[in-house]
Amino acid sequence: MNKIFQLTIVGILICLNCKSQDDGLLTIDRIYNSSEFQEDRLPPLKWIENGNAYVIFNREKSSFIKYDIATRNETVYLSNENLIPDGKEEPLNVESFYLSNDESKLLIFNNSKRVWRSNTKGDYWVYDFETKKLSQLGNQFDEASLMFAKFSNNNKQVAYVQNFNIYIENFKTQQVKQLTTDGTINIINGTFDWVYEEEFGCRDGFRWNNKGTHIAYWQVNATDIKDFYMINNTDDVYAQIVPVQYPKVGELPAAVKVGVVDIKTAETKWIDIPGDPMNNYLPRLQWLNNKEVLIQQLNRKQNKLIYYVYNIKTSKLKNVYTETEETWVDIRHPDAASTGWNMDDVPTLDNGKYFLKLTENDGWRHTYRFNFTTGEKQLITAGEYDVAEQYINTKDLLYFNASPKNSTQRYLYSVNLKNNTDSTKITPQKFAGINKYNIAPNGKYAVHSHTNVTSPQTQRLISLPDHKTIEVLLDNKKYLAEIDSLKMPETEFKKVIIYDSLSIDVKLIKPLNFDKTKKYPVLFYVYGEPAGQVALDRWDKLWQIMLAQKGYLVIAMDNRGTPCLKGSKWRKSIYRNIGKINAEDQAMAAKQVLKWSFIDAERVAVHGWSGGGSMTLNLLFQYPEIYKTGISVAPVANQLLYDNIYQERYMGLPAENKEDFVEGSPLYYAKNLQGNLLLIHGTGDDNVHYQNSEQLVNELIKHNKQFQVMPYPNRSHGIWEGKNTRRHLYTLITNYLLQHCPVEIN
C-alpha cells in the first residue's frame, strides 16, 4: 500500500545528494557542485570574405583560426605570439572581437566589467595586419573604461564611449579626439540608461556613416529620472547605498534625442523630431547612406510607431512610415526561441528604395515590403502563420524562422522576393525542435543550431538553400555521453482545450518508470507574460529532469499573451490584462490537466521566476482550490513598482486605468493565501526590486498569513553571484517542494 512520506529537512538533504553517479540519477550536487554536466559552447564566430570563410578564437591555442569553406582548410589567422602586448608575457584573453570592413584590422575586447545585464565596459586592442602591430585604444583612460569601440567604415579610425562621452582615435597618428563634452551620469552620450537597455535592448548608442565623416548618436537626459536605492549590508560595517536610475510605472521617461556630429569640427547638429521628448521613445536609428538617417519613434503608450528619414545636408525630416495598434506595436518582436538583445537594422532592398518590416496589422506577424518614397506595401510572407524571426535577405530570397503547424518548434523558411511565391521550408524534418541560424552575408552558408527535448544543442556549418551539412562544429559528445549515462524521463507534448475552443500547449516531463495507473504529484513551471514561452521543444534544465527522476510530473503550459506563434490576437489579448487573463488561462488549463487519471490533485505545486514568480503568486492566491504550494522567485508583486517601458507597453498608463495595474497584481490577492508559499528574492535586484517582496510580506503579515521567505543578499535578478549560490538556491527550492508536495514510495 502506497504511503505519502514526510521527509525531515535532514532526510531531504540526504535524499538530494546520496545517489552515486552509477545509478543514473541526478542530485543537486551533481548539477550545481561539479563540472560533470557542462555543455560545450561554440566560440565567437565572425564571417569574412563575404561569408566564404569565417574566423573563430580558439581559447586552447589562444589564437585566431580561419576556416575556408570551399577548401575546408583551417589556418592560423592570427597566432598567440601576435597577441602579447609590449612588456607582457602572456597573450590577451580575448572575450570578443570584430574586423574592419576591409579586414585589415582586428579589434579585440577584454578585461570586461558588467554594466547592468552584460559586460559592456572593458579594454580594446587593435591588431593591424599591415604593420603587424598590436596597440591598445584609449590607453590614457582608466583601465576597463571603454565601451562599444567600432571601426569607421573607411577603416581610418575607431570610435568609442568613455565616461558618457564619444571619442575617436586615429590609427596612424594615434590622436584621440573628443566629440562630446557634456557627458555625465545624467547626460548619457553614445549609450543608454537602465530601462532602455532592459526593455528595448539598447546598449551601443552611436553609428558611423559609410564614409566615416559623421556619427549619429543618442543622448539620454536622465536628470529627472528618480534614483531607486538598493542597500548593500554585507560589504562593510556601514550599509552602502546603491542608486539606480529607474523610471517606475507612471513616471515620465528620460528625454532622449538624436544628434549627428561632424568628425572634423566635433559639432553636433540635433535633429528636431516632432513630439515631446519626455513622452516619446527613440529606440532605433541607422544610416541609410552617407547623408540620410532612419530614426524610429514610439509614443509613450507604444501603440504608434513612426519612421523618420533625416537628411544631414538639407536638415529636412520626412515621415516615411507610420504604424498604429489598439494595443502596442513591437519593435523587438520577442521570440522565446531567440537569444540576444540585438539592435537590428531595418533591412533595405534595391539600394535603399524599399525596406522590409515585420508587422501584425493583418492579424499575423508578417513581413511586408514598403516603398520609402510612395509608402506602397506588398505582403511577402502570405498565409495564416507568424514569422518568428526575420533573417538576412539575399538578392532574391528572404530567410525567416517560423512554425505554422506547431508553436512549440521553429524552422527555417525562405520566400522569393522577386516573384513572391509561397514560402519554402528549408530545415529538414530530422531536425525537429528548435532551430536557429547565423547566416553568412552572401546567403550561401549558415551556422545551424539545433535542440529538442531529447538533444542538447548541436551546431553545424551548412550550405543554403539545400541545408547540407559541411562540417559539424559542435557535437557536445562529452555532455551527451554524460546524459546517456542517466536514466532519462520521457517528455510528451499534449494539448488541452479551455473555454470550449482555446487550445493550450502542454509540455509534460513524466516520472521515471511512468505508470498511468498511479497518481503523481505535479509541479507547474510557469511564466505567462509577453517576454517568454515555456512549452518549447528544447533541451530542459537538468533540475527539472531531476524532479522527474524523483517522481514528479513537471508541466509547462503557455497561456494567451505569451509569444507563441498563434497570431496577434493570441499575443495581444493580454493588453491591460496581465495578472488576470493569463492567470485564468493557466488555472483553467490546470483544471483540465488535473482530470488526467495519473495526477494527484491534492499534491499540486507551482513555480516560476520574475514574471513567472508573479504568475506563481497570482495562481496561488486566486486559485487556492487548485494550487497547494507555490515557490515564487523575484516576482513583481505590485505592477506599479516595475519600470515604465515594459509595464506601460502591456498595461497602458496608470493615470488612465490604474485599477488594471492594481487588480492584476499579486498584492491585491495576498489575503487569499491558503497553501504553502516560499518567497525568494535577491536584495540587489536592479530589475524587479526587492521592494516588491517586502510589500508582499507586509500584506501577508497584515492578514496573518504564514509563509517562508528567503532573501539573497546583494544578488541580482538572476540570483547567481557569490560562491555556492545556485547550489544553495536549488537545494532550498527542492527541499521545500519535497516537504510540502511530497512524492510517494511503496
Side-chain angles (χ1 to χ4, degrees):
M1 185 174 181
N2 290 336
K3 295 181 180 179
I4 298 177
F5 70 105
Q6 301 290 338
L7 297 173
T8 65
I9 294 298
V10 173
I12 293 170
L13 288 171
I14 293 172
C15 177
L16 287 175
N17 299 307
C18 65
K19 299 295 184 182
S20 71
Q21 296 184 12
D22 294 332
D23 63 9
L25 299 178
L26 289 164
T27 66
I28 292 292
D29 275 358
R30 290 188 73 183
I31 300 172
Y32 297 106
N33 196 39
S34 76
S35 58
E36 186 180 354
F37 299 102
Q38 288 190 347
E39 288 189 68
D40 292 330
R41 292 285 185 267
L42 192 68
L45 177 151
K46 304 294 182 185
W47 298 105
I48 61 172
E49 300 173 8
N50 195 34
N52 291 312
Y54 63 79
V55 173
I56 64 170
F57 179 69
N58 186 310
R59 298 196 182 280
E60 293 181 0
K61 298 179 180 179
S62 295
S63 298
F64 288 92
I65 305 299
K66 174 186 173 181
Y67 183 88
D68 185 279
I69 297 175
T71 64
R72 300 197 185 186
N73 286 335
E74 284 190 3
T75 55
V76 175
Y77 190 70
L78 187 63
S79 68
N80 56 1
E81 294 94 14
N82 299 118
L83 298 175
I84 302 174
D86 290 342
K88 302 291 184 180
E89 297 181 357
E90 297 295 327
L92 294 173
N93 178 28
V94 177
E95 296 183 36
S96 60
F97 67 96
Y98 313 88
L99 283 156
S100 60
N101 280 356
D102 64 358
E103 299 172 6
S104 68
K105 298 176 181 68
L106 182 71
L107 182 65
I108 297 168
F109 180 60
N110 75 342
N111 194 28
S112 68
K113 293 182 179 179
R114 185 177 172 189
V115 180
W116 310 131
R117 277 185 180 267
S118 298
N119 287 33
T120 52
K121 186 179 288 187
D123 292 329
Y124 284 92
W125 303 76
V126 171
Y127 182 82
D128 191 319
F129 286 96
E130 295 175 356
T131 65
K132 312 296 184 185
K133 289 184 178 180
L134 177 71
S135 58
Q136 184 177 7
L137 297 175
N139 56 17
Q140 72 271 43
F141 296 118
D142 291 340
E143 180 183 353
S145 67
L146 303 191
M147 303 177 74
F148 312 121
K150 60 169 88 64
F151 294 109
S152 61
N153 290 338
N154 61 12
N155 308 308
K156 292 182 179 180
Q157 45 203 349
V158 68
Y160 47 76
V161 173
Q162 200 278 335
N163 198 25
F164 307 111
N165 280 310
I166 301 173
Y167 294 79
I168 58 172
E169 187 168 335
N170 187 288
F171 291 122
K172 287 186 178 180
T173 66
Q174 312 266 288
Q175 181 183 3
V176 175
K177 185 175 183 179
Q178 188 169 351
L179 299 183
T180 66
T181 59
D182 55 353
T184 66
I185 189 70
N186 292 318
I187 304 298
I188 304 168
N189 295 300
T191 184
F192 296 91
D193 60 353
W194 181 91
V195 72
Y196 256 73
E197 175 179 312
E198 175 67 23
E199 305 303 353
F200 288 139
C202 294
R203 291 191 176 96
D204 171 4
F206 67 93
R207 304 287 183 271
W208 285 100
N209 72 341
N210 290 338
K211 288 185 177 179
T213 59
H214 293 79
I215 289 176
Y217 69 96
W218 284 267
Q219 184 186 86
V220 179
N221 186 338
T223 304
D224 295 325
I225 300 300
K226 296 176 183 177
D227 285 333
F228 183 85
Y229 296 111
M230 299 183 296
I231 307 297
N232 179 346
N233 280 311
T234 63
D235 291 348
D236 203 347
V237 291
Y238 286 94
Q240 299 172 15
I241 295 175
V242 183
V244 179
Q245 293 168 331
Y246 190 105
K248 298 273 190 178
V249 172
E251 298 285 334
L252 288 173
V256 177
K257 58 183 179 180
V258 170
V260 177
V261 60
D262 187 305
I263 301 307
K264 287 184 179 180
T265 65
E267 292 182 1
T268 293
K269 182 182 291 186
W270 297 106
I271 302 174
D272 186 13
I273 301 172
D276 179 2
M278 296 186 72
N279 272 293
N280 288 280
Y281 300 106
L282 302 175
R284 298 288 185 272
L285 72 81
Q286 69 191 78
W287 288 94
L288 295 176
N289 46 57
N290 282 310
K291 62 181 181 179
E292 290 183 315
V293 183
L294 176 64
I295 304 162
Q296 299 185 35
Q297 181 192 57
L298 269 176
N299 64 335
R300 172 82 179 275
K301 288 186 176 181
Q302 302 177 62
N303 58 7
K304 184 177 183 180
L305 172 66
I306 300 176
Y307 284 7
Y308 290 107
V309 172
Y310 175 75
N311 188 302
I312 66 173
K313 300 294 185 183
T314 65
S315 298
K316 289 185 178 179
L317 187 73
K318 181 183 179 182
N319 181 335
V320 297
Y321 175 79
T322 301
E323 180 179 337
T324 60
E325 290 264 13
E326 292 183 2
T327 54
W328 71 87
V329 178
D330 275 316
I331 63 155
R332 295 176 62 234
H333 297 273
D335 178 35
S338 297
T339 57
W341 299 74
N342 296 329
M343 298 174 68
D344 294 327
D345 285 347
V346 175
T348 58
L349 301 171
D350 294 351
N351 296 317
K353 183 178 180 181
Y354 302 96
F355 66 92
L356 298 177
K357 175 74 173 65
L358 281 172
T359 180
E360 301 190 32
N361 282 165
D362 64 2
W364 298 94
R365 185 187 298 147
H366 279 314
T367 297
Y368 282 82
R369 174 169 48 204
F370 291 88
N371 187 303
F372 266 113
T373 302
T374 66
E376 178 186 2
K377 69 177 183 178
Q378 179 184 8
L379 177 62
I380 301 298
T381 57
E384 293 189 349
Y385 66 88
D386 287 308
V387 174
E389 186 174 2
Q390 183 173 274
Y391 293 120
I392 70 162
N393 55 280
T394 63
K395 183 179 179 181
D396 297 322
L397 292 177
L398 170 70
Y399 288 106
F400 61 93
N401 248 21
S403 185
K405 297 180 180 180
N406 186 344
S407 182
T408 71
Q409 299 177 332
R410 301 289 186 272
Y411 299 98
L412 184 67
Y413 285 77
S414 70
V415 63
N416 192 296
L417 291 166
K418 296 296 184 182
N419 55 30
N420 201 27
T421 56
D422 291 339
S423 59
T424 301
K425 185 179 178 182
I426 302 295
T427 310
Q429 192 56 43
K430 67 179 180 179
F431 293 113
I434 301 296
N435 296 276
K436 305 297 295 179
Y437 294 84
N438 175 2
I439 300 178
N442 58 18
K444 295 179 180 179
Y445 308 104
V447 175
H448 167 223
S449 302
H450 170 257
T451 180
N452 59 28
V453 294
T454 62
S455 173
Q457 182 175 253
T458 57
Q459 292 180 287
R460 58 203 52 80
L461 178 67
I462 63 167
S463 56
L464 288 175
D466 57 10
H467 208 288
K468 289 185 177 179
T469 298
I470 298 171
E471 189 91 15
V472 175
L473 304 177
L474 178 71
D475 56 21
N476 257 315
K477 281 185 177 179
K478 182 177 181 299
Y479 184 68
L480 283 168
E482 297 291 350
I483 297 301
D484 287 343
S485 70
L486 297 175
K487 295 177 180 177
M488 293 297 294
E490 177 190 356
T491 299
E492 181 182 359
F493 286 89
K494 300 168 75 74
K495 293 182 184 294
V496 295
I497 305 299
I498 60 175
Y499 315 126
D500 296 327
S501 61
L502 190 69
S503 178
I504 300 291
D505 291 320
V506 182
K507 181 179 181 179
L508 171 64
I509 306 176
K510 297 179 179 179
L512 286 182
N513 305 313
F514 176 73
D515 182 348
K516 64 181 180 181
T517 66
K518 294 182 179 180
K519 287 189 176 292
Y520 296 94
V522 60
L523 174 69
F524 287 101
Y525 173 68
V526 296
Y527 185 76
E529 294 197 14
Q533 181 180 353
V534 292
L536 285 168
D537 188 2
R538 65 183 175 193
W539 183 245
D540 291 299
K541 294 179 180 179
L542 290 180
W543 179 73
Q544 293 183 348
I545 294 173
M546 184 194 78
L547 293 182
Q549 289 180 340
K550 290 183 178 298
Y552 288 97
L553 289 156
V554 182
I555 295 178
M557 303 187 296
D558 289 305
N559 48 264
R560 285 175 293 173
T562 53
C564 296
L565 306 183
K566 296 184 176 184
S568 181
K569 184 178 179 181
W570 168 281
R571 291 185 291 275
K572 296 192 173 182
S573 60
I574 202 171
Y575 186 63
R576 294 190 175 185
N577 275 307
I578 290 180
K580 291 184 280 188
I581 190 174
N582 53 342
E584 185 177 5
D585 280 6
Q586 283 282 337
M588 295 306 101
K591 283 187 175 181
Q592 296 301 315
V593 167
L594 295 181
K595 292 178 181 178
W596 297 343
S597 61
F598 50 83
I599 291 182
D600 185 346
E602 295 304 312
R603 291 180 291 157
V604 178
V606 58
H607 162 59
W609 199 306
S610 191
S614 309
M615 174 70 84
T616 295
L617 295 174
N618 270 319
L619 294 175
L620 194 65
F621 298 162
Q622 294 185 46
Y623 301 94
E625 73 280 9
I626 300 175
Y627 305 94
K628 312 302 182 184
T629 296
I631 302 168
S632 173
V633 185
V636 176
N638 180 354
Q639 291 186 33
L640 296 173
L641 301 182
Y642 200 50
D643 75 68
N644 55 2
I645 293 180
Y646 179 93
Q647 213 66 45
E648 292 176 6
R649 178 190 302 147
Y650 304 123
M651 292 296 290
L653 303 182
E656 298 177 1
N657 59 306
K658 185 177 180 180
E659 65 278 3
D660 292 330
F661 292 83
V662 174
E663 293 174 8
S665 296
L667 200 69
Y668 186 75
Y669 304 96
K671 60 187 175 184
N672 298 329
L673 175 64
Q674 295 180 24
N676 311 296
L677 169 62
L678 173 60
L679 179 63
I680 300 169
H681 214 133
T683 67
D685 191 336
D686 60 11
N687 185 346
V688 180
H689 300 144
Y690 183 65
Q691 171 192 38
N692 280 271
S693 286
E694 287 204 337
Q695 285 199 6
L696 180 61
V697 165
N698 263 347
E699 188 68 13
L700 291 167
I701 292 171
K702 173 182 171 182
H703 296 286
N704 198 33
K705 299 298 180 179
Q706 300 301 308
F707 59 99
Q708 289 182 244
V709 61
M710 177 62 191
Y712 278 89
N714 296 330
R715 270 63 167 194
S716 64
H717 194 55
I719 311 183
W720 56 267
E721 302 89 345
K723 185 178 180 180
N724 202 50
T725 295
R726 274 301 169 105
R727 179 188 179 203
H728 187 279
L729 171 65
Y730 278 97
T731 299
L732 172 71
I733 294 173
T734 309
N735 283 346
Y736 196 84
L737 184 65
L738 285 166
Q739 183 179 4
H740 295 284
C741 185
V743 293
E744 286 185 341
I745 60 173
N746 291 323

